[in-house]
Amino acid sequence: MALALTHIISPDIAQCEISFIERSTIDYDLAVQQHEAYCALLRDCGLKVIELTVNSAYPDSTFIEDTAVVLDEIAVMARMGAASRRGEVPGIESVLAAYRKIDRIRPPATLEGGDVLLAGGKVFVGITPRTNVAGVSSLTAILEPFGYQVIPVTVRGCLHLKSACTAIDDETVLLNPHWIDLEPFKVFHAISVPEDEPWAANTLLVENTVCVHAGFTHTVEILHTHGFAVKTVDISELLKAEAGMTCSSIIFNDTV
């Protein structure tokens, strides 16, 4: 069965890290409601949701994706590019250790899970303010023995690779062409997000369903036009924390 690790909203989410957008007031109670709806969506997609509380003192802790890269063979614990978030990793490692062998990104490398995209059997890694070249090299050294090809991607103007590009099936990516180098994705069919929805490329694929923020209505229309099954949920308060659909979960098979 596929699992989704999630984490409750920190009461201190208003102090979250912000890099590429202006800070605005986050309604904590509404954020909690939206997170609950997000978890309900994951359950509706057939996932078993495990909601953690271990990092509640960390403002960004609900964005659990950044703490690890979990593949069938191994869980690689991140070394966060944001120093304020590095304390989140041990608590998540203690949970993942029940499911996977653990390896770690070590200094001076930095790598965050939001910069790692598995698509078409390859692992794409964004070079961003949160993930450096040494982080790409470190992940490559860990994953190549398992047969993975790791491909670096230049990212500009946004927080993570997945802010700019996500896979919506084995052969198709949804992307913002202004924010990434398109060359690594030339073998894919690429669908661009509308100019008025630049943050819409961060979608979450669960089985054959593409999960999208409810406010990105033009992107939803485009996906429907291309024949994709789409489900939506409102994560507007989490978008104020520079998040997206993938950020709030780590999804993996509990048995491999």
Side-chain angles (χ1 to χ4, degrees):
M1 183 176 187
L3 301 181
L5 295 186
T6 68
H7 196 286
I8 65 168
I9 302 288
S10 169
D12 297 320
I13 190 172
Q15 282 74 56
C16 63
E17 293 281 348
I18 295 290
S19 300
F20 288 92
I21 63 174
E22 292 186 10
R23 190 176 296 276
S24 57
T25 301
I26 296 174
D27 183 325
Y28 171 73
D29 291 333
L30 181 55
V32 169
Q33 293 174 24
Q34 291 181 352
H35 179 71
E36 291 172 351
Y38 175 87
C39 291
L41 174 64
L42 298 183
R43 293 187 185 97
D44 189 49
C45 289
L47 300 176
K48 178 181 177 181
V49 176
I50 300 174
E51 191 168 29
L52 306 178
T53 62
V54 65
N55 287 324
S56 299
Y58 291 91
D60 289 276
S61 54
T62 198
F63 310 125
I64 188 172
E65 173 187 47
D66 292 327
T67 63
V69 177
V70 182
L71 301 172
D72 286 346
E73 300 86 354
I74 197 165
V76 182
M77 305 312 300
R79 181 172 182 265
M80 312 286 251
S84 65
R85 298 194 61 191
R86 289 176 187 161
E88 298 174 34
V89 176
I92 307 305
E93 178 176 336
S94 67
V95 176
L96 287 173
Y99 300 96
R100 294 290 190 276
K101 177 183 176 181
I102 299 292
D103 208 332
R104 301 170 188 84
I105 302 295
R106 294 178 172 82
T110 62
L111 180 136
E112 296 190 359
D115 279 319
V116 182
L117 172 63
L118 182 63
K122 298 179 175 63
V123 180
F124 297 88
V125 184
I127 300 173
T128 69
R130 301 293 183 86
T131 296
N132 60 22
V133 173
V136 177
S137 297
S138 181
L139 188 65
T140 300
I142 293 169
L143 295 187
E144 279 191 341
F146 299 106
Y148 290 99
Q149 181 183 1
V150 178
I151 302 170
V153 181
T154 301
V155 179
R156 53 189 175 272
C158 63
L159 184 63
H160 288 130
L161 172 59
K162 286 183 188 169
S163 304
C165 180
T166 51
I168 52 178
D169 67 18
D170 289 340
E171 300 174 346
T172 311
V173 292
L174 181 69
L175 53 79
N176 182 330
H178 302 298
W179 286 351
I180 57 170
D181 176 14
L182 299 177
E183 180 67 18
F185 299 101
K186 64 183 180 181
V187 299
F188 292 89
H189 173 56
I191 300 173
S192 295
V193 296
E195 293 287 336
D196 62 347
E197 295 177 355
W199 295 94
N202 185 278
T203 62
L204 179 64
L205 180 64
V206 183
E207 294 295 335
N208 297 314
T209 300
V210 184
C211 302
V212 185
H213 167 54
F216 294 142
T217 55
H218 295 157
T219 300
V220 170
E221 291 173 4
I222 290 170
L223 292 173
H224 279 312
T225 298
H226 282 83
F228 289 94
V230 178
K231 291 185 178 181
T232 63
V233 65
D234 185 0
I235 58 165
S236 54
E237 293 306 299
L238 302 183
L239 293 178
K240 295 177 183 178
E242 213 165 5
M245 290 297 298
T246 67
C247 303
S248 295
S249 57
I250 299 175
I251 297 172
F252 58 94
N253 293 318
D254 65 344
T255 57
V256 293

